Amino acid sequence: MTQRLLDFLNASPVNFFAVRNIASALQLAGYKHLDPAQPLVQMETGTKFFVTKNDSSIYAFHLGRKPLSDAGFHMICAHCDSPTFRIKPNAEISCEGGIVKLNTEVYGGPIMSTWFDRPLTLAGRVIVRGDDALHPQTLLMHVKRPLMQICNLAIHFNRQVNDGVKLSKQKDMLPILGIINDELEQGNMLMNLICETLHVKKEEVLDFDLYLADATPACTFGPHDEFISSGRLDDLSMCFAGLEALLGTETTDTTKVLAIFDNEETGSQTKQGAGSPFLASLLKRIAWQQSGTEEAFWQAIERAFMISADNAHAWHPNYGEKYDPTNHPQLGAGPVIKFNAAQKYASDAVSASVFAEICCEAGVPCQRFVNHSDVAGGSTLGNILASSLPLRGVDMGNAILAMHSCRETGSTTDHAYCVRAFTQFFGR
Ligand code: ZN
């Protein structure tokens, strides 16, 4: 089970690949890829389909025996984007000695120092000329070898480096790509890589969304392989647990929904993010197809339950003072329900009770997280979704250390627990 997660993480260096890999797994399991530009027809018992948006968000539906209006729906949502660095347009900077570095822009909130001195590669999508201007072609690109590195300054030039260093996103975080061999490479090093990797001509390439990605594969560590070390555990580990649960359950009375959003790390306010009306519109269209009324959608909302799955902070043995005095989620001790009095998280006593009962039914322990009151903490999908889908729901996630590091640390046991809890939820 852990190996499947590691394989998914390694095959999903950025959001576009996560969506493509989830789509492939769904198709193998008999889910049909529907085009939202066409009417959503044949919304019958057991129908399985999915829809994508922008190649970077994906929504899977397994219709229940009862219509949405009678049984509502059970939804797990998560996000497929993670903090990284985006390659800027005209990115190549030629330096002394023929060294080429790349101009980048920060995506989300990475712990920037963790990106230093490790082999990195490129992943994302490249847009090439299509049949007409409005319909260019999208090609996904992942160079599966170390390609560049963001190098630290030697300690001899900065004796204070271990006392804390302020980093400039524009100066310090630019990766070294290569050394120019001949004049033809001048200004073309990145483009040559794109063309070689995708077997396209330079004139065909219109633009790209390319990002830095860790080139070192995800792995387990610890005497009992109890830990997982990987980039993007937040939130690909939750995406994958949701997918495993969806594919592991048969048709039930209630419709199952797996919603994987993009752009959580930058506030969700895009057409493919949780702030978009896209998912609500899909549910409305299904409800309309089944019942022929708008009323059916609102009935479904009242009967639905959502698990907003995004990783939580595990208790860090070196920094106990940063945590709430009485709530210490531990690695390996089960899924974590997240609370916030200011309602940054959707959980309340009712929805938390529902999730805790589901865990209990699944034979899985669960924990509770709340911030130290002097620490601001983060936010996630649940409440952003509530503006278009006023659902009863819980914010939860598996505990990890070093959230937003280039490599986060999770627990193999927690992954198994989470899949069991999600399967219990979808199997109801
Ligand atoms: Zn997250």
Side-chain angles (χ1 to χ4, degrees), residues 126-130 132-133 135-137 191 201-208:
V126 173
I127 310 304
V128 297
R129 188 160 283 122
D132 66 81
H135 301 95
Q137 207 191 332
M191 185 56 79
K201 293 197 184 81
K202 186 181 169 186
E203 308 77 65
E204 295 174 274
V205 177
L206 299 174
D207 213 330
F208 54 75

Side-chain angles (χ1 to χ4, degrees), residues 159-389:
R159 293 285 181 188
Q160 285 76 44
V161 67
N162 293 324
D163 302 331
V165 172
K166 188 168 169 40
L167 295 173
S168 157
K169 293 170 187 163
Q170 188 61 67
K171 176 179 168 60
D172 297 304
M173 304 313 297
L174 306 189
I176 290 173
L177 176 63
I179 300 176
I180 289 179
N181 258 346
D182 60 46
E183 271 182 19
L184 287 175
E185 272 193 319
Q186 184 88 37
N188 287 318
M189 202 176 259
L190 178 62
M191 185 56 79
N192 289 350
L193 270 168
I194 293 172
C195 294
E196 278 165 28
T197 309
L198 297 176
H199 309 292
V200 294
K201 293 197 184 81
K202 186 181 169 186
E203 308 77 65
E204 295 174 274
V205 177
L206 299 174
D207 213 330
F208 54 75
D209 293 316
L210 288 174
Y211 298 87
L212 302 190
D214 186 9
T216 311
C219 63
T220 55
F221 70 98
H224 315 289
D225 282 320
E226 54 268 62
F227 301 115
I228 301 171
S229 168
S230 173
R232 310 173 304 285
L233 284 176
D234 173 15
D235 193 25
L236 293 186
S237 61
M238 294 291 98
C239 295
F240 193 66
L243 177 68
E244 293 269 74
L246 185 69
L247 300 185
T249 42
E250 301 298 319
T251 304
T252 55
D253 281 353
T254 309
T255 293
K256 295 184 259 287
V257 183
L258 178 68
I260 306 298
F261 297 102
D262 192 9
N263 301 132
E264 191 275 341
E265 301 294 356
T266 54
S268 297
Q269 301 302 323
T270 57
K271 63 188 180 305
Q272 62 275 4
S276 164
F278 187 66
L279 174 61
S281 76
L282 290 171
L283 287 161
K284 271 183 199 167
R285 290 163 71 178
I286 297 168
W288 181 269
Q289 275 294 328
Q290 288 178 334
S291 308
T293 65
E294 165 106 19
E295 175 71 14
F297 167 72
W298 296 108
Q299 283 176 269
I301 292 288
E302 293 307 312
R303 295 182 201 278
F305 193 85
M306 167 190 70
I307 296 176
S308 162
D310 198 357
N311 292 87
H313 299 296
W315 188 78
H316 195 309
N318 292 354
Y319 304 98
E321 73 281 4
K322 294 286 182 188
Y323 292 76
D324 179 67
T326 60
N327 293 282
H328 294 168
Q330 302 290 336
L331 284 168
V336 180
I337 302 170
K338 301 190 271 186
F339 291 94
N340 178 258
Q343 292 296 304
K344 281 185 183 170
Y345 298 130
S347 316
D348 54 29
V350 175
S351 61
S353 301
V354 170
F355 184 71
E357 284 288 274
I358 288 165
C359 287
C360 185
E361 285 175 8
V364 166
C366 82
Q367 318 182 68
R368 285 167 167 78
F369 172 86
V370 61
N371 276 308
H372 183 291
S373 299
D374 297 329
V375 174
S379 63
T380 182
L381 302 162
N383 279 347
I384 290 164
L385 262 182
S387 58
S388 60
L389 290 168

Side-chain angles (χ1 to χ4, degrees), residues 45-100:
T45 294
T47 299
K48 297 194 255 186
F49 70 96
F50 68 93
V51 168
T52 62
K53 186 88 170 163
N54 188 50
D55 305 313
S56 66
S57 68
I58 182 163
Y59 312 86
F61 301 85
H62 182 169
L63 300 188
R65 283 188 285 266
K66 294 184 178 171
L68 284 181
S69 56
D70 292 357
F73 53 91
H74 287 166
M75 178 161 87
I76 294 174
C77 55
H79 67 90
C80 60
D81 63 320
S82 302
T84 178
F85 295 82
R86 186 181 196 278
I87 309 298
K88 284 182 173 176
N90 304 309
E92 285 178 47
I93 301 171
S94 296
C95 309
E96 224 175 290
I99 284 190
V100 174

